[in-house]
Amino acid sequence: MSQLHATVRLTIVRLTIASVALALAAAWSAPSLGADAGRIKVSKGSVSIQRDGKKLPAPVGAAIQQQDTVVTGADGTVGITFQDSSMLSAGPNSVLTIDKYVFDRTTNKGEFESSLKQGTLAAVSGKMVKQSPESMRVKTPAAIMGVRGTEFVVRVTEPTR
Amino acid sequence: MASASRSIVSLALVLAACGHTPGSPSTADVVVAVLPEEGGKVGTVVVHPTSGDTKVLNSAYAGAHLRGAGKVESVTLDRPQVDRTFGAALSALPIPPVSYLVYFLEGSDELTPESHANLSRIAAELANRPAAEVAVIGHTDLVGNDQYNDALSTQRAQRVRDELVRAHVPPERIEVAARGKREPLFRTAEGVADPRNRRVEISVR
């Protein structure tokens, strides 16, 4: 009995080591899939990228990475195409963060999480969602949208304080 | 199971990000709606409110309105409402990505005459696309071994890349890949020379 117990424990330890190693390998290999999640294709009026606490310009052609926040002013609109051919665009006075973007071009598997804190968003899903439904998610303060393949729109209005 | 625990993690992240503790829902007003795609097809969006029941949106202009303390209301928008509220965002959607195929002569990196003409048109389309990015992926039919076909599919992809660069597509915006005979478009027996499989895919976004 105790031998069985020990074997089970050993197996669990091995599994844990294996999963930690896998997680490390996944974390390590993530940048090789391309640090750029997407690229700005449309940029009008006032648009900026917040990255590592810095405010950067956001012209057509600028790369978008995981953790970037794209901010539009009162006259600003922006459109981004991602590696899996999904697209997000934002209207004026919007704050959109790309929380997570991972995509494997060979298997079309990945994960895409963005959040709209404020403003308006139009979204078109891409190859990732065809491969695994709801791998693309748009978060808002009141709900998470799981995308199973479509074009859709979201508006977030925060109450005036 | 894994996906369930992931969405719980995401939920926690959203709540944390909003500075709310579970049980005190956001005061933000959120509207979401699905739109018909070209050709009238409508996809599906699943709305998971931070409190309240999940809603599945799968018909044209079907939406959900979330406001205050866990109130989730089903709504149906119409086109004028969508244009009024989302017109600016929708007009900023990029040109949709597109994919082309060009074909090759047997055992060669020579394009068929028809594909050669097509390639010029594709290059012209690329020039009109803001900040275009291109993936060029070479393939072969099922004649020969992997080593031979890996080399041949690489040569074909490289050939297409060179033609695009000659047509002024910036080289740093072109990625080249080759799959040999591993991904035939039409599954044939080994050794069958099928012109439909001797191709390069030009994927543009």
Side-chain angles (χ1 to χ4, degrees):
Chain A
M1 187 64 197
S2 75
Q3 197 184 349
L4 178 65
H5 199 161
T7 315
V8 168
R9 272 182 56 184
L10 195 60
T11 311
I12 290 170
V13 168
R14 279 188 187 142
L15 278 173
T16 311
I17 291 171
S19 55
V20 167
L22 265 176
L24 281 175
W28 186 252
S29 66
S32 71
L33 292 174
D36 295 346
R39 199 168 287 279
I40 293 182
K41 308 286 184 179
V42 176
S43 178
K44 288 182 181 141
S46 149
V47 183
S48 61
I49 301 169
Q50 286 174 3
R51 180 180 301 160
D52 302 329
K54 291 189 192 77
K55 186 177 164 181
L56 309 171
V60 169
I64 294 295
Q65 303 171 357
Q66 282 194 98
Q67 306 294 323
D68 281 356
T69 295
V70 182
V71 180
T72 58
D75 64 344
T77 59
V78 64
I80 308 161
T81 302
F82 293 86
Q83 278 194 25
D84 74 315
S85 294
S86 57
M87 300 185 283
L88 295 182
S89 63
N93 296 316
S94 299
V95 181
L96 171 69
T97 301
I98 309 308
D99 302 296
K100 182 170 190 183
Y101 191 91
V102 184
F103 179 60
D104 182 325
R105 271 170 292 187
T106 308
T107 61
N108 282 348
K109 284 186 183 154
E111 234 186 320
F112 183 3
E113 278 184 15
S114 59
S115 20
L116 182 69
K117 296 205 174 55
Q118 177 193 312
T120 52
L121 177 79
V124 179
S125 63
K127 294 176 188 169
M128 197 190 286
V129 163
K130 283 194 187 125
Q131 176 65 36
S132 28
E134 295 200 53
S135 53
M136 179 181 185
R137 291 184 290 275
V138 175
K139 301 187 266 179
T140 69
I144 297 169
M145 322 301 168
V147 185
R148 293 187 188 165
T150 194
E151 180 170 340
F152 67 105
V153 287
V154 186
R155 184 189 69 189
V156 174
T157 320
E158 286 290 352
T160 44
R161 281 163 227 265
Chain B
M1 188 59 199
S3 84
S5 63
R6 243 201 328 268
S7 56
I8 290 166
V9 169
S10 329
L11 194 69
L13 283 175
V14 168
L15 292 169
C18 302
H20 290 287
T21 48
S24 82
S26 148
T27 50
D29 180 296
V30 174
V31 176
V32 54
V34 295
L35 304 182
E37 292 163 44
E38 260 177 70
K41 198 172 146 274
V42 181
T44 302
V45 168
V46 185
V47 182
H48 305 278
T50 49
S51 60
D53 293 334
T54 295
K55 273 208 189 315
V56 177
L57 310 178
N58 56 10
S59 60
Y61 302 109
H65 189 179
L66 302 97
R67 59 191 143 178
K71 278 186 209 147
V72 187
E73 194 189 331
S74 290
V75 292
T76 306
L77 305 188
D78 58 26
R79 193 72 225 184
Q81 283 174 314
V82 168
D83 289 340
R84 223 169 22 246
T85 309
F86 300 102
L90 285 167
S91 70
L93 273 176
I95 304 171
V98 63
S99 189
Y100 304 96
L101 291 175
V102 288
Y103 298 92
F104 291 80
L105 302 178
E106 189 174 352
S108 152
D109 65 354
E110 253 344 290
L111 285 151
T112 64
E114 193 191 1
S115 284
H116 201 269
N118 276 344
L119 191 55
S120 312
R121 284 197 285 115
I122 294 164
E125 198 270 341
L126 277 174
N128 288 326
R129 198 178 262 263
E133 295 161 275
V134 189
V136 173
I137 304 155
H139 300 272
T140 66
D141 62 23
L142 275 68
V143 177
N145 62 21
D146 274 333
Q147 196 188 357
Y148 167 78
N149 284 307
D150 285 351
L152 180 57
S153 60
T154 304
Q155 279 170 24
R156 285 175 175 167
Q158 203 60 44
R159 183 70 178 258
V160 169
R161 179 203 170 273
D162 292 348
E163 293 286 336
L164 292 176
V165 170
R166 201 176 331 205
H168 307 294
V169 179
E172 68 275 15
R173 289 286 165 80
I174 308 176
E175 288 167 23
V176 177
R179 305 254 202 270
K181 63 173 180 179
R182 291 175 193 81
E183 295 175 15
L185 210 49
F186 293 87
R187 180 59 67 178
T188 67
E190 279 295 321
V192 171
D194 190 323
R196 298 172 301 181
N197 288 331
R198 297 195 289 267
R199 72 209 191 274
V200 163
E201 181 187 353
I202 305 169
S203 176
V204 184
R205 61 176 194 275

